[in-house]
Amino acid sequence: MSIDEREWKLWREGEPFPQRFTATISEDGNTITGRWEKAPDGQTWQIDFNSRPPQGHAVALARSS
């Protein structure tokens, strides 16, 4: 997994297939919009599903100082 001010990524290799998640953190830090991808054949990536908070809900992010 990796995360910085504007991007969050996580990934896994293994059975039944590799997966990865890539998300963008909004400028105000209140919303994360991302997508899960999978590679059923182990090489060709395809979107598994998109992810974002429900309308009207914010995601609180802890910030280090």
Side-chain angles (χ1 to χ4, degrees), residues 30-64:
N30 290 326
T31 305
I32 298 173
T33 303
R35 71 181 177 276
W36 281 96
E37 297 174 303
K38 62 182 179 179
D41 65 2
Q43 295 181 346
T44 308
W45 291 96
Q46 55 186 255
I47 294 175
D48 197 5
F49 59 91
N50 292 307
S51 175
R52 67 184 179 110
Q55 191 74 12
H57 290 77
V59 175
L61 300 175
R63 300 207 184 270
S64 60

Side-chain angles (χ1 to χ4, degrees), residues 12 15 20 28 43 61:
R12 77 170 185 89
E15 297 300 325
R20 64 187 181 192
D28 65 7
Q43 295 181 346
L61 300 175

Side-chain angles (χ1 to χ4, degrees), residues 9-32:
K9 293 182 176 183
L10 60 100
W11 55 91
R12 77 170 185 89
E13 301 292 327
E15 297 300 325
F17 48 80
Q19 286 182 295
R20 64 187 181 192
F21 175 74
T22 305
T24 302
I25 301 167
S26 65
E27 283 190 38
D28 65 7
N30 290 326
T31 305
I32 298 173

